[in-house]
Amino acid sequence: MASSCTSLLLLSFLILYDYLPLSQSNQFCDAGVKYSESTCGFSSTSSSKLLIKGGTVVNAHNQEVSDVYVEDGIIVAVRPNIKVDEDVTLLDATGKYVMPGGIDPHTHLAMEFMGTETIDDFFSGQAAALAGGTTMHIDFVIPVNGSLVAGFEAYKSKAKKSCMNYGFHMAITKWDESVSREMEIMVKEKGINSFKFFMAYKGSLMISDELLLQGFKRCKSLGALAMVHAENGDAVFEGQNRMIDLGITGPEGHALSRPPVLEGEATARAIRLAKFVNTPLYVVHVMSIDAMEEISKARKSGQKVVGEPVVSGLVLNDSGLWNPDFITAAKYVMSPPIREAGHDKALQAALSTGVLQLVGTDHCTFNSTQKSFGIDDFRKIPNGVNGIEERMHLVWDTMVESGQISVTDFVRITSTECARVFNIYPRKGAILVGSDADIIIFNPNSSFEVSARTHHSRTDTNVYDGRKGKGKVEVTIVRGRVAWQDDELKVAPGSGKYIEMPPFSYLFDGIDKADAKYLSSLQAPVKRFSAS
């Protein structure tokens, strides 16, 4: 019965979704991204049929040596010794892992922020992602003058140059009836199933607890996931002024002004308000032990809370912020800040034990010129670091090579769990019959080295510059087409695809029952007799 249900589900994916062929035009080739002219765009001679031979196919639940056969962007067979006709592109994966392409749940491409715009747009950022084995990302739409519809249309225009799969979250920066109505439009018509609330950035993006409660209630009614940037914005503002008064104006002041206790406090507050409303909660970029411990307590109590560490928090510490060279120090400025040594190891342990569930990047890049806006005042340094290209390699080297997690766990935290949380599994995040053919071939015996000189981001710095490790993505496949191979990109702007994400993911299972249980426990209202 279970297998027949699965077959029907996968068949429905084939019927429901329209798979468009990727553009083969190279007229938009962007000199800002490093690739050869001959490989700009998908090859016009490439077959719509693809056979990956002899690799170890890894899903979040198992791994086995199998071939993978793809037609028209869909996986149609996963089994050993597949025989096909001659009109097939053949890839030999013997001795290598064949995995679902990475899904990055947290990026900011072409984002207007702190008086400038992130340097990576929807082509350069996605090209970097493909070079690192990520085949989909979910970006945050910022409303235009509070309007969600206007924000969506603006980001839809920005994404016209995309070259891979992408989806959208939506930020909420104010509250009124029009915002409430537009949230419904986003969910029911635009394929957005998550809304982000900033508890920091006082004076710009920050919202009040009153708005947070209203937003959580609306998310619950729509089956949309509430997300929070958890820092106490009022206290951060006070901390910034304190540092300036002390004459601390450099990048180190950024970390000192927003210590872990402020991240922990906001995380705890968001968790408790989500519990009060009884709606699932997703905490983005968990950077500290303080925040992680609040998530751990909530999850142990049975509350539905998802914790997302990002690569910078897992592999870096804050020592770079004290570098005497301003440009070097400023490249590490992000919020919440990269923490002192010890937090990184604790976050790794939490990820390996399931306290934290999946890994993002918060890829939000600014170049040295932009970072220099704050050379005399750390408050003016645009916040953000890179990571969309480095995530898969660094997570493998840090977590798998060290023995902290298994190969199947790697797939879970870099792809599958993200697909499940945002309700696109098994279309994404799996190598199963009926799934989209978003696949990487990963060589565990190869090696990588991160360098600002050779990365595909437009930024001129890299917070992971010089890091080396084992394990390398050798081939990236998007919807059945080879997009990265032999250290060359084979993509063109305009070849990407927007992925709609339906509401009511598995996180909402049991919410109605919990509400009913709560109501039945109230023993109220009490029927009272009026005094005679």
Side-chain angles (χ1 to χ4, degrees):
M1 181 65 180
S3 60
S4 63
C5 289
T6 301
S7 298
L8 287 172
L9 176 62
L10 293 174
L11 178 61
S12 71
F13 280 116
L14 297 176
I15 296 170
L16 180 60
Y17 293 105
D18 177 28
Y19 296 91
L20 300 177
L22 299 179
S23 167
Q24 295 165 1
S25 166
N26 64 3
Q27 61 181 312
F28 300 107
C29 289
D30 188 328
V33 176
K34 307 172 183 68
Y35 50 75
S36 68
E37 182 70 22
S38 63
T39 60
C40 183
F42 290 99
S43 168
S44 60
T45 59
S46 63
S47 170
S48 62
K49 300 176 182 178
L50 181 69
L51 178 61
I52 305 172
K53 293 285 292 181
T56 299
V57 175
V58 186
N59 282 297
H61 61 284
N62 74 335
Q63 65 183 77
E64 58 184 352
V65 177
S66 287
D67 298 343
V68 180
Y69 180 53
V70 174
E71 285 189 1
D72 299 322
I74 304 296
I75 297 171
V76 297
V78 183
R79 64 176 187 270
N81 304 315
I82 296 175
K83 308 295 184 185
V84 293
D85 57 37
E86 294 182 357
D87 185 26
V88 173
T89 299
L90 182 65
L91 296 173
D92 183 7
T94 304
K96 302 170 186 176
Y97 291 118
V98 180
M99 304 176 176
I103 307 175
D104 188 341
H106 190 156
T107 62
H108 298 281
L109 302 182
M111 177 191 181
E112 297 171 15
F113 184 54
M114 296 185 72
T116 186
E117 183 173 307
T118 54
I119 199 71
D120 278 325
D121 61 20
F122 275 82
F123 182 57
S124 67
Q126 291 185 356
L130 291 169
T134 289
T135 55
M136 179 176 172
H137 71 108
I138 312 177
D139 211 80
F140 287 89
V141 173
I142 305 299
V144 174
N145 297 322
S147 170
L148 313 191
V149 171
F152 180 85
E153 292 302 319
Y155 270 74
K156 183 179 176 182
S157 178
K158 292 178 181 185
K160 285 181 179 179
K161 60 177 68 176
S162 70
C163 59
M164 71 180 210
N165 305 305
Y166 65 97
F168 287 143
H169 310 288
M170 175 65 71
I172 302 294
T173 55
K174 72 169 192 175
W175 189 259
D176 55 30
E177 282 304 310
S178 67
V179 171
S180 180
R181 288 193 300 270
E182 287 188 329
M183 286 178 71
E184 184 172 5
I185 293 171
M186 293 299 109
V187 172
K188 294 184 176 180
E189 300 178 20
K190 304 301 183 183
I192 290 176
N193 68 1
S194 50
F195 295 91
K196 181 179 181 180
F197 303 86
F198 289 88
M199 301 171 75
Y201 299 119
K202 186 174 182 176
S204 57
L205 299 173
M206 178 179 161
I207 51 86
S208 66
D209 285 357
E210 180 184 8
L211 189 158
L212 198 59
L213 278 167
Q214 295 299 321
F216 281 4
K217 288 165 59 180
R218 190 58 168 144
C219 283
K220 179 181 178 180
S221 70
L222 293 169
L225 183 58
M227 313 175 79
V228 290
H229 172 137
E231 289 182 287
N232 186 313
D234 289 319
V236 167
F237 183 74
E238 173 63 25
Q240 290 173 328
N241 290 336
R242 179 189 298 173
M243 292 304 114
I244 296 299
D245 289 345
L246 292 170
I248 302 171
T249 60
E252 69 278 9
H254 176 76
L256 294 170
S257 68
R258 47 208 315 150
V261 66
L262 302 188
E263 185 186 355
E265 184 280 329
T267 302
R269 182 160 34 104
I271 286 171
R272 284 159 175 76
L273 292 178
K275 183 176 184 178
F276 176 70
V277 174
N278 188 29
T279 196
L281 181 68
Y282 184 111
V283 183
V284 304
H285 47 42
V286 177
M287 298 293 286
S288 67
I289 294 171
D290 304 55
M292 178 269 290
E293 288 181 341
E294 296 294 341
I295 293 168
S296 178
K297 285 190 293 185
R299 288 178 61 84
K300 285 179 180 177
S301 74
Q303 190 174 347
K304 294 184 177 182
V305 181
V306 177
E308 170 211 271
V310 292
V311 178
S312 54
L314 289 170
V315 307
L316 299 175
N317 62 58
D318 68 356
S319 59
L321 289 163
W322 271 260
N323 192 291
D325 176 68
F326 173 83
I327 295 300
T328 299
K331 73 179 180 180
Y332 294 101
V333 170
M334 64 172 292
S335 293
I338 298 166
R339 304 301 186 184
E340 65 181 351
H343 288 269
D344 52 345
K345 299 297 185 184
L347 294 176
Q348 291 173 29
L351 186 61
S352 69
T353 56
V355 172
L356 303 176
Q357 288 71 53
L358 72 172
V359 182
T361 62
D362 195 7
H363 183 89
C364 184
T365 52
F366 300 95
N367 63 22
S368 297
T369 300
Q370 293 170 303
K371 289 282 189 176
S372 294
F373 293 169
I375 194 165
D376 296 317
D377 185 345
F378 68 84
R379 296 173 297 181
K380 298 178 182 178
I381 302 172
N383 290 195
V385 302
N386 61 289
I388 200 169
E389 183 170 354
E390 298 80 12
R391 180 181 72 122
M392 300 286 278
H393 291 126
L394 290 173
V395 171
W396 177 274
D397 188 62
T398 302
M399 300 299 296
V400 182
E401 283 295 323
S402 67
Q404 295 187 75
I405 63 172
S406 66
V407 180
T408 53
D409 286 335
F410 175 79
V411 168
R412 175 177 56 81
I413 66 175
T414 61
S415 184
T416 305
E417 187 59 21
C418 184
R420 293 182 69 237
V421 166
F422 296 104
N423 214 16
I424 50 175
Y425 180 87
R427 182 188 180 188
K428 303 291 185 185
I431 299 183
L432 299 170
V433 173
S435 298
D436 286 0
D438 299 327
I439 301 169
I440 62 171
I441 299 176
F442 188 91
N443 188 344
N445 298 312
S446 189
S447 60
F448 70 88
E449 180 176 358
V450 179
S451 171
R453 296 187 304 276
T454 58
H455 68 199
H456 295 83
S457 168
R458 284 203 182 108
T459 186
D460 56 346
T461 64
N462 191 309
V463 293
Y464 312 104
D465 202 17
R467 290 187 72 102
K468 300 177 182 179
K470 282 194 67 177
K472 191 173 189 298
V473 175
E474 294 189 340
V475 180
T476 304
I477 299 161
V478 180
R479 300 192 313 279
R481 300 279 184 164
V482 175
W484 168 261
Q485 187 178 25
D486 298 327
D487 291 330
E488 289 186 342
L489 285 162
K490 304 172 184 290
V491 292
S495 59
K497 185 175 180 66
Y498 177 62
I499 306 299
E500 295 190 2
M501 299 178 291
F504 292 104
S505 75
Y506 81 94
L507 293 169
F508 284 84
D509 294 348
I511 291 291
D512 289 344
K513 288 183 178 179
D515 283 343
K517 182 178 180 181
Y518 164 74
L519 292 173
S520 67
S521 71
L522 295 180
Q523 300 182 13
V526 176
K527 293 181 180 180
R528 293 182 172 86
F529 299 101
S530 58
S532 58

